[in-house]
Amino acid sequence: GWEPHPGAWPLTEIAFALSRGLRDFAEALDTKYPDLAALFGDRPSNLYDSLRTHPPGFWPTAISDHPEIGDLTRALQRHIGLSLDE
C-alpha cells in the first residue's frame, strides 16, 4: 500500500551529480569527436560550475527518515563531496 514519504528527496544532489556526469561525458567526447561535442557547447560545464559555485540555499538535502531515501541521500552527498552527517 501507499506510505507517505517522511522527508525530502535529494533532487538537488541528483541534479548536481548528473550535471557533473554530463560535463565529463562532453569533455571525453570532445577528445575523440569534437564535432559532436560541439553540439553541447559550454552548457554542461556552465551548469556544473554554476551549481558548484552558487549552490541553491536549500541544500544539502536533510536526511530522510525513510531508510532507502536516507541511504540514497547519504550516498549522493558522499559522491559529490558534501555531507550533513560529518
Side-chain angles (χ1 to χ4, degrees):
W2 183 83
E3 178 182 319
H5 181 276
W9 286 88
L11 297 179
T12 309
E13 286 86 350
I14 291 170
F16 187 81
L18 290 173
S19 72
R20 183 166 69 184
L22 182 58
R23 180 209 59 183
D24 293 349
F25 171 77
E27 288 177 359
L29 188 65
D30 191 44
T31 61
K32 192 166 183 178
Y33 303 102
D35 53 330
L36 294 176
L39 296 173
F40 288 101
D42 290 334
R43 289 179 300 232
S45 291
N46 291 344
L47 174 61
Y48 172 74
D49 289 342
S50 175
L51 286 171
R52 186 175 50 81
T53 57
H54 304 321
F58 55 85
W59 87 319
T61 302
I63 304 299
S64 172
D65 292 335
H66 190 281
E68 286 89 8
I69 303 306
D71 288 348
L72 172 64
T73 304
R74 284 184 196 89
L76 280 164
Q77 290 176 355
R78 278 191 305 272
H79 177 71
I80 62 178
L82 64 100
S83 177
L84 290 177
D85 289 345
E86 296 174 2

